[in-house]
Each structure stands twice: as structure tokens, then as C-alpha cells.
Amino acid sequence: MELLRPSKADEAAAALGNGSVALAGGTEVVPLLREGLLHADTLVQLTDAVPRGVDGTRIGAGTTLAELEVDPQIPQALREACSLAASPQLRAMGTLGGNLLQATRCWYWRLGFDCWLHGGERCFAKDGAHREHAIFGNDRCASAHPSDVAAALLALGATVRTTQRELPIAELYRLPSDDNRETTTLARDELILELDVPTPDASTYLKAMDRRKWAFPLVGVAAASRGGEIRIALAGVAPTPWLLDGPAALDAATPLPGTAYKVEIARALVRRATEGVDPTGG
Ligand SMILES: Cc1cc2nc3c(=O)[nH]c(=O)nc-3n(C[C@H](O)[C@H](O)[C@H](O)COP(=O)(O)OP(=O)(O)OC[C@H]3O[C@@H](n4cnc5c(N)ncnc54)[C@H](O)[C@@H]3O)c2cc1C
Ligand code: SF4
């Protein structure tokens, strides 16, 4: 396998596609290559090509989660989401861009089952083990998006700048459909360069997990208030990060038999998170 290390973003983007895969911290790419779930003739190392660091509201996609969790310029919800993700070692390597693009943790998918998301006919999780799976958007694939960080950025109303465009973070994600089973809208030769994260009046991130450390979100709830409005976004509840149109929107959840408990956890965390950022103190 060849390793390229371009120094410019446009060179890195031009090298992608046709068997070339972007490599940031490698905490996701390397396990996927090892398991045969990702194939690459060439790895394009992004270290010198993608911005790293925080400058006011702008965050380079190459910034590690460990750098973000201690940076005072970063809104609290994002710092908390980073500090509750993975382990210290993984946060020291894992970057913001890589975190947003991590693949599902659904074990059927990770074990290489020919499931619907892999292009097959059925979702094995729906009939099988699905305690960690989705309560929204689970019509075709019931996977639960694992990124704490993406939910925080969604509540904060972040904008993503890529080598091709600028878009609200909500538009980086899509529910997979029969004719397109991708869960992001990023093109094969498109790189995330940086995010712009508006400063909220207040924000928080709460996470329910099986262990108190080093566990993916069963349910993660981010809330951010700005100018009297509160935005809420969830992790671990749908195949993509999920924007919640207020606490009552949980009534529209479509849980599987084994994920009904997540609705109750989400209700409790949404209540606590919104109380925590409510400017009226309510
Ligand atoms: C055991 C374990 C536990 C974890 N727990 C959590 C958790 O609780 N919460 C959580 O949120 N995350 C968790 N993670 C995910 C972890 O945070 C990510 O693996 C990490 O942030 C990915 O960053 P990376 O730089 O290593 O990405 P890489 O592995 O280098 O890349 C990941 C993907 O993103 C692409 N990519 C990377 N950067 C860019 C870019 N700038 N533009 C375009 N494409 C890019 C790569 O091509 C690849 O497809 C966990 C991971 C592991 C292995
Ligand atoms: S939840 Fe999605 S990834 Fe998991 S088995 Fe079903 S289709 Fe595959």
C-alpha cells in the first residue's frame, strides 16, 4: 500500500477516489482496513493538508478531540462531547474530521454481514440483537450514529467548510435510501477543512452509556441556547445525528422492541439538558 503525504488540501483532494482513502488519526481507518471493511491501494495522509487548531469560532478538521476538550474558546457542549468520547489515547489521535465521518458501530455491519447497509436485502439488527440501535429514521437501517461530537455541533448550529462548499452540518448527513446507502453527502474526493461553530449563550452535552468511560452513546443529548432559542440534537438514536424539534418530538420515535428504553432515557436527558441551558431558568 502506498502512503502519500500532500502538503496542500487541493492536492490531497485530487489524490482521493480510485482506491485512495483519506487518513487522519487512523483510529477508524486502520481497524476498518484490518477487518477488510475498507479497501485502499493508497492512503492520503491529511496531517499537512488539513488545518489544525482553534481560531475564535473556527476549528480545523485536523484538530484532535484531546485538543478540543481543553480549549477554553470551545463551547461547553463540544468540550463535554469530546471529553466523554472514546479513551484518552483515542482522543489524542482522533481528529474532528475523522470523528464526523466514522462508520456505524452496528456489529452486523462491523462483522461483515451482508446487511442492507452493506448492499444486501435485510437489516439483521431489526430481527436480531438491537439494544444499541435506533429510535428514529430506522425504516431501512436501524443503526445508531456513534458520534457525540456531531450531535454537539448540530445543536450548536455549526457550518462545515470543505474543499468544495460550505454547508450546515445537518446537510453533511443523510438517511440512507434504497438507491443511495451512504449516510453522508461528502463526495469521494471532498475533504472537510474546518468548522465554524457560533458561540452560544449556553450549551451542554449529556451522555448515557453502558460504562462511565470509553463507551459509545446509548443516547447523547446536546442542547444550545442562543437569543432565547434552544436547539437540541441527539447521538445514538438514528443512522445520522438527529436534530430534535423540541421535547415533544420524542413522541414520534419509532423504537424497536429492544430500544424502547432509549426513548425514556432521551426524555430525561432532554429535560435536564434544556433546563441547564434555559435562559429563563425554567
Ligand atoms: C474503541 C473506540 C471507541 C470510540 N468511542 C467513541 C465515542 O464514545 N464517541 C465518539 O464520538 N467517537 C468515538 N470513537 C470514534 C473516534 O472518536 C474516531 O475514531 C476518531 O475521532 C476518528 O478520527 P481519526 O482522525 O482517527 O479518523 P480516521 O480513522 O483517520 O478517519 C475516519 C474517516 O474519516 C475520513 N476522514 C478523516 N478526516 C477527514 C477529512 N478532514 N475530510 C474528509 N474525510 C476525512 C477517513 O477517510 C475515514 O473515512 C471511538 C473509536 C474507537 C475505536
Ligand atoms: S442496522 Fe443497518 S448496519 Fe446494522 S444490520 Fe441493519 S442495515 Fe446493517
Side-chain angles (χ1 to χ4, degrees), residues 59-276:
I59 307 173
T63 313
T64 65
L65 303 193
E67 288 165 340
L68 289 175
E69 70 183 284
V70 295
D71 195 310
Q73 299 175 85
I74 299 296
Q76 187 174 336
L78 183 53
R79 271 189 282 122
E80 287 170 345
C82 290
S83 69
L84 289 168
S87 64
Q89 293 87 343
L90 287 160
R91 298 199 296 273
M93 292 296 293
T95 63
L96 178 59
N99 182 284
L100 299 182
L101 297 173
Q102 59 183 295
T104 176
R105 305 306 300 189
C106 172
W107 40 79
Y108 295 103
W109 189 92
R110 292 260 163 185
L111 290 170
F113 278 56
D114 181 29
C115 75
W116 184 85
L117 197 62
H118 269 313
E121 296 297 319
R122 44 183 288 232
C123 170
F124 294 99
K126 285 190 182 185
D127 300 326
H130 58 241
R131 177 181 165 274
E132 278 84 359
H133 286 66
I135 57 172
F136 285 108
N138 49 10
D139 181 34
R140 306 300 277 150
C141 167
S143 64
H145 202 271
S147 172
D148 296 298
V149 178
L153 289 166
L154 190 55
L156 289 162
T159 302
V160 181
R161 186 168 71 83
T162 78
T163 42
Q164 300 183 13
R165 57 197 168 132
E166 239 178 63
L167 65 161
I169 189 165
E171 292 175 17
L172 181 63
Y173 298 101
R174 64 183 300 281
L175 282 177
S177 56
D178 280 328
D179 54 354
N180 180 354
R181 300 188 189 190
E182 298 292 332
T183 54
T184 80
T185 61
L186 208 70
R188 296 254 176 249
D189 60 349
E190 184 177 13
L191 288 173
I192 298 180
L193 297 179
E194 63 177 14
L195 283 98
D196 187 47
V197 186
T199 307
D201 297 332
S203 69
T204 189
Y205 185 74
L206 303 175
K207 177 173 178 178
M209 46 189 160
D210 278 330
R211 292 183 300 270
R212 294 185 69 178
K213 302 251 178 247
W214 195 8
F216 287 96
L218 292 171
V219 179
V221 175
S225 66
R226 188 177 304 105
E229 271 182 40
I230 298 178
R231 269 170 71 99
I232 304 163
L234 275 53
V237 301
T240 63
W242 199 255
L243 197 60
L244 196 73
D245 195 15
L250 285 167
D251 295 342
T254 54
L256 304 169
T259 60
Y261 76 99
K262 283 196 178 191
V263 181
E264 299 317 312
I265 291 179
R267 275 192 213 291
L269 293 188
V270 165
R271 190 169 52 243
R272 277 172 45 195
T274 47
E275 282 170 7

Side-chain angles (χ1 to χ4, degrees), residues 1-85:
M1 191 185 291
E2 194 184 5
L3 179 70
L4 300 181
R5 195 163 172 158
S7 56
K8 295 197 171 68
D10 52 353
E11 286 168 20
L16 292 174
N18 290 331
S20 300
V21 169
L23 176 75
T27 61
E28 170 77 323
V29 166
V30 173
L32 291 180
L33 287 171
R34 202 174 44 220
E35 299 302 326
L37 293 165
L38 179 68
H39 304 280
D41 304 321
T42 305
L43 291 177
V44 182
Q45 173 64 260
L46 301 181
T47 314
D48 302 329
V50 162
R52 177 173 181 172
V54 181
D55 181 9
T57 61
R58 303 186 89 84
I59 307 173
T63 313
T64 65
L65 303 193
E67 288 165 340
L68 289 175
E69 70 183 284
V70 295
D71 195 310
Q73 299 175 85
I74 299 296
Q76 187 174 336
L78 183 53
R79 271 189 282 122
E80 287 170 345
C82 290
S83 69
L84 289 168

